[in-house]
Amino acid sequence: MERKSSLFRLTAILILFVVLSGCSPVGHPSGGSNGNSVNGGLSAQLNDWLYFVNYGDEYALYRIKTDGTGEEKISDDQTFYLNTDGTWLYFCSGSDDQKLYKMKPDGTEKTKLADVAVRNIVATDGWIYFIDVTDATKPETYRRLFKIRSDGTDRTLLSQHAAASCNVSGDWLFYIRQDNQTLYKVKNDGSAECQASDLTMTSCIVRDQDIFFVSADEEQHNLWRMKLDGTAPVKISDDPIAAFNLGCDWIYTVSQHGGSDLELLKMTFDGSKVTPVNADNAVLINIHDDWLVYLSLNLDDFSIVQTLIRTDGSIRKDYRLEQEPSIPKFDRYAIGEVINTDEFSITVISATATNLIENRETGFESQIFDDVTDGAYVFITMSVTNQGAQPLDFKQRIGLFDTDDQGYAVYWHPLADITEAKDKDDPGFYLARSEYLEGLTLQPGVTRVLQMFCDLMEPAYPLTVGLFDGTDSKPLAAIDVVPAEGLFVTGWAQAEMIMADQFPNREITLLNGVGARFEGEDEDYMYYLFSVSQAGSAKPAYYLVKRDTGEIYTGAYDPKQPDYAAVPVEPLP
C-alpha cells in the first residue's frame, strides 16, 4: 500500500475571473472588478491599455493596447491578483513571497505597501481590501479580510471568519466563509458582520443589486442568481459550471453543455440562450470590453496556453507556459554507506525483491492465501540511529522517489522494526503486512534495524531511497538501491500471457485461482484457472497455469471440488 505525495504535478486550480471594465456597473470598485479579484487578478484594464500576467514569460507583467498594438513588458515581477484604482496598479508579488505592492501603469515607482502575503486584492476609494495569507499558524489573522490605505497605512482587520473570496459593493464586503461555504457580509469598517445567505456556494460575484453564484449543493455546481439581500434565488443554468464571468451582455461560462467535455460558452443572463464561443479548452476567463483573456490546459504535456482574443475573433495572441521540472539537488549514496542528517543517521544494509508474500498465519499456509503481484514487493532493510535529544517519528522521513520529465514524486511506504527478529539477516526475510506501519518513533540515542515494505507496480532499478526532515518532501539525501532478486513466481498477468501464446486466436477468460495437490504432494499448490473457447464452439475447454512453474495443465471438473469449474489433471503435452 503506498501513499503518493507529488512534488511536481502541474495542478491547475484555475478559477473564474470577471472584469467589468466598460460596463460602469453601480456599486463596484472604481478600477479593477470584484470578479477579477476573486479569481486571481491576472489581468486588468486601465484606459486603453490591457494589463496581463504573461504566462509565457515567467508571469511577468505586460500590457497591450486595446487595438492589439504596442505590446510591452513593464515589470519582471511575478505578478498576481492584479487590480487598479484608475491611477495605480496593485498586486501581490510572487518575486517577494506574495507581498502587497503598487506601481505606476508604466512600471515605475514600485512600492511595497505591506509586509504580508495577500490575495484577492480590491482597490477602491483610497483603500485596498485583501485576504491575509501570511501565516496559517495564526488563525486570528490567517485568511481574514483586511483593508489598508493606498499609501500603506492604517491596516485594519475586518472579518472574524476565514474568507475564501471577497466582493466589494458600496459600504459592504461580501465573502464566502471558508469553513462552510456560506455567504457572509461585513461593513467596510469591520462592523455588522453577519450571514448574508445560508446557501452554500463555491464562488460568487456581486454585480449591481444581484449576486451570481455557483451552488455547492449536491455537487451539482449549477449557476444561480439572487438579490443582494440573499432573497429570491433563481437557477440560471442546469449545466455543471467550472468557471463563469459576467460580461456586459453575456455570461461567459466553462461548462459541460450537452456533452462530457468542458466548453467555452456564452449565455443570456436568464440562461435561455446558450452559444458556443470556440473549441478552445478554456479553464479560466477574463473579460475586458470586447476582449477575452483565458487559459487553456493541455493535460498531455501539462502546459498552459494563455489566450488574448477579441470577442469577434479578429485579433488573437497566444502565450504558452512551458513548465520545467523542478528537481532539488542532493547527495547520492550507495548501499552500505553511512548517511548523517541533522537528526538521524542511516545505513541501508540490504534489499530484496520478490513478487510473492507467503501467508504464514496458522491454518492459512495454502498457496491460495499468498499474495502475488504482477509488479514487485521490495523489502529494504536499514540501520537507523536517532542522533537528536528528542524522540523522533520517522513518518515521512524515509521514502522512495522517482523523477521524470514532469519533475519528481515521493512515495511513502510503511516501516517495521525488525531489530529483535531472529531471522532478520536471512535473504528474503519479511514480516506479515500488518506489522508494517506508517511511522515509527525512535528514542534519543537509540539504534534500530528497520525494514521498509514497498508494493511497486512497475519498478525501475535502481530505486532511490530518499531521506527527509518530516515537514516536506524535499530530499536531504538519497541512496541508490538495486535489490537482490528473491523468489519470483508466475503472476496473474503473466499467466494470461502464457495462455495467449499457447492458444492464439482463442477467447481466453481468467476465472479464478485454484488450490490443488497431486498424489505425493504434502500441500496445495496454486493454479490459475482459464476457460478457452474457439469460434463456433459452445463449450469451453479448461486449462490451468501452475503458479510456481508457469506450466500449463489440462483441466476437468471434479465433483469433490464443486466450487471450481475445473481442477488440474496433467501437464499439457
Side-chain angles (χ1 to χ4, degrees):
M1 183 183 306
E2 66 184 35
R3 222 162 30 108
K4 174 181 174 183
S5 173
S6 179
L7 259 290
F8 183 89
R9 291 291 183 260
L10 185 61
T11 306
I13 306 176
L14 300 172
I15 50 179
L16 67 116
F17 285 173
V18 182
V19 181
L20 305 175
S21 305
C23 295
S24 301
V26 176
H28 280 268
S30 59
S33 74
N34 278 324
N36 187 32
S37 170
V38 166
N39 297 288
L42 297 183
S43 58
Q45 185 175 343
L46 180 57
N47 301 321
D48 59 350
W49 286 99
L50 181 62
Y51 293 81
F52 64 97
V53 181
N54 191 332
Y55 270 56
D57 189 13
E58 300 181 343
Y59 314 104
L61 182 60
Y62 277 64
R63 69 178 179 179
I64 188 173
K65 288 187 176 180
T66 53
D67 63 3
T69 64
E71 179 179 331
E72 61 179 345
K73 181 193 293 189
I74 66 168
S75 175
D76 285 317
D77 272 81
Q78 291 186 348
T79 306
F80 302 102
Y81 293 100
L82 186 64
N83 209 267
T84 178
D85 61 2
T87 302
W88 291 84
L89 299 174
Y90 299 88
F91 62 95
C92 73
S93 174
S95 306
D96 186 17
D97 296 327
Q98 314 302 321
K99 301 300 174 55
L100 179 61
Y101 278 81
K102 71 175 181 179
M103 71 168 63
K104 287 289 189 180
D106 62 359
T108 62
E109 299 186 40
K110 175 184 167 184
T111 306
K112 182 187 288 190
L113 295 180
D115 195 31
V116 293
V118 304
R119 61 173 297 174
N120 210 147
I121 299 169
V122 179
T124 181
D125 297 330
W127 289 94
I128 314 302
Y129 299 91
F130 61 88
I131 296 174
D132 187 326
V133 291
T134 305
D135 189 348
T137 66
K138 296 181 178 179
E140 68 276 9
T141 58
Y142 185 68
R143 299 200 67 89
R144 271 36 177 192
L145 291 175
F146 280 79
K147 70 176 181 179
I148 193 172
R149 292 192 184 275
S150 56
D151 62 1
T153 62
D154 295 338
R155 180 157 62 99
T156 306
L157 173 67
L158 299 177
S159 71
Q160 300 303 311
H161 304 291
S165 63
C166 172
N167 288 255
V168 178
S169 180
D171 294 336
W172 289 92
L173 279 71
F174 291 80
Y175 69 93
I176 296 176
R177 183 168 160 173
Q178 188 179 36
D179 58 357
N180 61 19
Q181 294 185 297
T182 60
L183 188 65
Y184 271 63
K185 65 180 181 179
V186 62
K187 283 202 168 183
N188 59 16
D189 62 0
S191 65
E193 186 172 14
C194 63
Q195 188 177 64
S197 171
D198 60 0
L199 298 176
T200 59
M201 55 193 70
T202 61
S203 60
C204 74
I205 300 165
V206 176
R207 176 168 176 176
D208 298 334
Q209 297 303 308
D210 290 309
I211 300 171
F212 296 80
F213 65 95
V214 174
S215 172
D217 287 345
E218 300 179 359
E219 299 183 354
Q220 295 300 308
H221 302 297
N222 305 130
L223 185 60
W224 291 68
R225 177 178 186 166
M226 66 182 173
K227 295 298 184 182
L228 203 60
D229 62 4
T231 63
V234 176
K235 186 189 294 186
I236 299 174
S237 173
D238 288 323
D239 294 330
I241 302 296
F244 80 100
N245 181 335
L246 307 180
C248 293
D249 302 311
W250 297 90
I251 302 175
Y252 287 80
T253 70
V254 178
S255 61
Q256 294 173 306
H257 180 70
S260 59
D261 295 331
L262 291 175
E263 299 179 273
L264 177 59
L265 309 165
K266 64 180 182 179
M267 70 173 67
T268 53
F269 276 77
D270 62 1
S272 61
K273 182 179 180 181
V274 179
T275 305
V277 174
N278 59 36
D280 288 349
N281 181 28
V283 289
L284 176 151
I285 318 164
N286 289 319
I287 306 173
H288 302 276
D289 291 343
D290 57 354
W291 281 91
L292 299 180
V293 181
Y294 57 81
L295 302 182
S296 301
L297 178 63
N298 185 334
L299 292 177
D300 292 331
D301 61 5
F302 292 95
S303 65
I304 292 176
V305 178
Q306 179 185 36
T307 299
L308 279 65
I309 188 172
R310 292 284 287 267
T311 53
D312 62 4
S314 60
I315 302 174
R316 177 180 178 131
K317 292 179 176 289
D318 290 326
Y319 309 85
R320 180 179 293 271
L321 170 64
E322 300 290 351
Q323 193 81 335
E324 294 295 329
S326 177
I327 302 175
K329 295 181 179 180
F330 48 83
D331 292 331
R332 287 184 176 272
Y333 298 85
I335 289 180
E337 291 189 83
V338 179
I339 302 101
N340 290 291
T341 73
D342 290 341
E343 298 176 302
F344 63 93
S345 66
I346 181 171
T347 302
V348 172
I349 301 170
S350 64
T352 303
T354 180
N355 72 338
L356 169 69
I357 297 179
E358 296 178 352
N359 190 320
R360 298 166 179 169
E361 186 177 349
T362 302
F364 295 89
E365 295 87 351
S366 172
Q367 287 188 352
I368 62 174
F369 298 110
D370 293 344
D371 284 337
V372 177
T373 178
D374 290 312
Y377 300 123
V378 179
F379 299 91
I380 302 173
T381 302
M382 61 200 80
S383 175
V384 182
T385 301
N386 178 358
Q387 300 186 130
Q390 301 295 327
L392 193 60
D393 186 354
F394 274 81
K395 183 177 182 179
Q396 296 191 4
R397 292 182 187 273
I398 305 172
L400 294 185
F401 70 94
D402 58 34
T403 60
D404 56 27
D405 57 358
Q406 298 300 328
Y408 77 98
V410 179
Y411 303 85
W412 308 113
H413 297 276
L415 296 165
D417 186 341
I418 64 171
T419 309
E420 308 303 329
K422 295 180 180 179
D423 302 326
K424 65 177 182 295
D425 296 326
D426 292 349
F429 170 85
Y430 55 84
L431 301 174
R433 275 178 179 262
S434 59
E435 297 188 58
Y436 294 90
L437 308 173
E438 286 192 358
L440 291 172
T441 299
L442 264 64
Q443 297 301 315
V446 170
T447 298
R448 306 295 288 178
V449 179
L450 307 184
Q451 188 175 74
M452 183 163 64
F453 167 50
C454 310
D455 184 352
L456 307 178
M457 291 304 298
E458 297 180 354
Y461 302 121
L463 301 175
T464 303
V465 177
L467 309 181
F468 306 87
D469 66 5
T471 63
D472 59 36
S473 299
K474 296 178 181 178
L476 306 172
I479 307 162
D480 291 327
V481 174
V482 178
E485 187 169 309
L487 176 62
F488 274 79
V489 298
T490 304
W492 297 88
Q494 187 180 0
E496 289 186 277
M497 294 173 62
I498 292 171
M499 291 293 296
D501 289 341
Q502 181 66 39
F503 301 102
N505 304 317
R506 305 283 183 91
E507 183 179 337
I508 301 171
T509 304
L510 173 61
L511 300 179
N512 50 260
V514 175
R517 73 176 70 182
F518 286 92
E519 186 176 350
E521 294 178 339
D522 57 2
E523 65 175 309
D524 287 351
Y525 287 86
M526 177 69 173
Y527 296 81
Y528 306 112
L529 176 61
F530 294 86
S531 67
V532 179
S533 302
Q534 192 167 11
S537 175
K539 186 176 181 180
Y542 295 99
Y543 296 89
L544 300 94
V545 176
K546 189 173 184 179
R547 187 198 74 178
D548 286 4
T549 64
E551 292 178 281
I552 299 176
Y553 282 67
T554 59
Y557 178 74
D558 182 352
K560 296 179 180 179
Q561 294 183 276
D563 293 336
Y564 302 120
V567 298
V569 175
E570 61 182 358
L572 187 69

